[in-house]
Amino acid sequence: MYTGPDRQEMLLAGAKKEKDLLWYTTTIPDQLAEPLAAGFEKKYPFASVEFYRANSTDVASKAMEEYRAGSHDVDVVDGTGTATMLEDAGIIQPFTSPELDAYPAEAKDPDGYWGPQLLYFMAVAYNTDKVDAGEAPRTYEDLLDPRWRGKMSWSTSPTSGGPLFLGNLIEAWGEDRAMPYIDRLAEQKIANVDSSGRSVLDRVVNGQVDLGVQIFNDQVEDAAHDGAPVAWVPLEPVTAQYSRISLLENPPHPHMAMLFLDFMLSKEGQEIIRQGRGIPAHPEVDAVDPKLKPGPGGFEAQFTEPDQVLKQTNEWADLYQEKFM
């Protein structure tokens, strides 16, 4: 939380002694995690970054299990719901950074437990070899078409997959409208994937299913850029979330961790997210394809508050278990 004029000098002196950093991340390794680590190491040649990658729930679970065992190896963590889970468990601490000044109030935690890393907007991905653009679903009701029965897949992740899909609809429509729809959707036999949304996208790319539901639109765009037969369509209101980055309660490399947080929040770090075709959270760094965001993309988005997601996770996960598992 230190903000004195010698802050950067202190961080550099400490980081040069610490040398290492361990980062638990939800970002795709070749798309974002590896370029971000490389960019940080280029800026600070004395730094060595290691990362472990999983979805938000698994990242949070791993950190909590280690802390319960008395192990304090990880320095920083990120994810959509990770910060809320770890704050509730008491194993992250508030931090500040001069880079946070550039962000609007709604993009950062007033208590300092997380900073905005990047933006996520969820969409339907479809295999362009199997589905024509004009046939792709454009509304939630379109998912009820009999042609999609047994041909869709989604992640079981409570913080980004099927449970959050249900929660987004309940929040947007109210239970009176959402529950009958959910009952009908359950008849479509959506395949559950006990892994990340990226794994679901891979199933779409490989032609195992026609549609992937609740998929990060930037990951679809990145796969399409690399030649994969895949495209995306938004279903309004689109589920929108921040990926949030946090500092552990007992980081073994605190000075290096603070330098890394500064870097991630800076325009320099956010530009690497942009180059990786992610959606930067920084208000002055746009996405490579502006259509990934609501305004230029012409779609309506509904941001889910992390505290609300944590509060409702069990309820939404129970509903998902009852209807779809």
Side-chain angles (χ1 to χ4, degrees):
M1 299 297 291
Y2 185 66
T3 59
D6 58 342
R7 176 181 182 275
Q8 184 70 8
E9 181 182 343
M10 289 173 58
L11 294 183
L12 286 171
K16 286 177 181 178
K17 296 176 182 177
E18 294 165 355
K19 296 184 171 52
D20 299 323
L21 177 90
L22 180 57
W23 169 34
Y24 287 0
T25 183
T26 60
T27 60
I28 304 300
D30 58 351
Q31 181 193 6
L32 294 177
E34 291 170 1
L36 283 164
F40 182 73
E41 290 173 347
K42 182 177 180 181
K43 184 178 180 68
Y44 301 109
F46 51 84
S48 176
V49 178
E50 292 186 16
F51 65 83
Y52 162 82
R53 194 265 167 181
N55 64 32
S56 288
T57 307
D58 290 343
V59 162
S61 296
K62 181 175 173 63
M64 287 188 285
E65 288 170 5
E66 291 173 350
Y67 263 66
R68 281 195 293 266
S71 176
H72 303 144
D73 295 328
V74 59
D75 296 293
V76 293
V77 295
D78 67 51
T80 52
T82 310
T84 306
M85 289 184 277
L86 297 187
E87 181 183 354
D88 190 58
I91 64 170
I92 57 174
Q93 62 175 303
F95 72 91
T96 191
S97 166
E99 302 296 343
L100 283 167
D101 293 344
Y103 293 83
E106 62 270 18
K108 50 195 175 186
D109 181 24
D111 297 320
Y113 282 98
W114 54 264
Q117 182 184 26
L118 62 153
L119 287 164
Y120 287 131
F121 299 101
M122 314 305 287
V124 168
Y126 65 94
N127 185 298
T128 55
D129 289 340
K130 303 179 73 175
V131 180
D132 292 335
E135 299 174 332
R138 302 286 169 176
T139 67
Y140 287 102
E141 286 78 6
D142 288 345
L143 297 180
L144 303 179
D145 190 317
R147 74 165 290 182
W148 307 125
R149 182 181 171 90
K151 296 181 179 180
M152 297 185 285
S153 184
W154 59 10
S155 168
T156 61
S157 170
T159 56
S160 62
L164 186 60
F165 177 97
L166 304 184
N168 183 58
L169 281 187
I170 291 169
E171 292 294 299
W173 290 357
E175 290 193 6
D176 288 348
R177 179 184 174 190
M179 293 307 295
Y181 172 85
I182 289 168
D183 286 335
R184 294 179 64 194
L185 186 65
E187 298 173 1
Q188 292 292 73
K189 304 298 182 185
I190 304 176
N192 298 299
V193 177
D194 191 20
S195 188
S196 67
R198 179 63 206 215
S199 296
V200 178
L201 176 58
D202 289 340
R203 289 167 63 87
V204 179
V205 170
N206 295 333
Q208 294 172 267
V209 290
D210 291 0
L211 305 180
V213 180
Q214 198 76 345
I215 306 300
F216 302 102
N217 68 351
D218 64 298
Q219 294 180 6
V220 182
E221 199 68 28
D222 182 60
H225 180 262
D226 290 339
V230 69
W232 64 276
V233 287
L235 305 185
E236 298 181 285
V238 168
T239 306
Q241 296 189 89
Y242 280 99
S243 178
R244 302 163 172 90
I245 191 163
S246 300
L247 176 69
L248 271 294
E249 178 65 26
N250 296 299
H253 314 106
H255 300 85
M256 190 73 78
M258 288 305 305
L259 283 181
F260 189 73
L261 290 167
D262 287 352
F263 177 77
M264 185 70 76
L265 298 167
S266 70
K267 292 176 71 173
E268 183 179 3
Q270 293 285 301
E271 180 63 31
I272 294 174
I273 290 174
R274 180 184 187 275
Q275 292 168 3
R277 309 189 76 82
I279 306 176
H282 198 292
E284 298 174 20
V285 184
D286 209 345
V288 169
D289 184 353
K291 293 192 296 295
L292 291 168
K293 300 176 77 171
F299 60 85
E300 177 189 350
Q302 174 174 272
F303 276 87
T304 55
E305 291 297 323
D307 291 343
Q308 177 71 4
V309 171
L310 181 65
K311 179 182 176 182
Q312 300 292 133
T313 289
N314 289 338
E315 180 181 330
W316 295 343
D318 288 347
L319 177 64
Y320 176 76
Q321 178 79 22
E322 175 190 348
K323 301 292 184 180
F324 295 93
M325 297 292 283

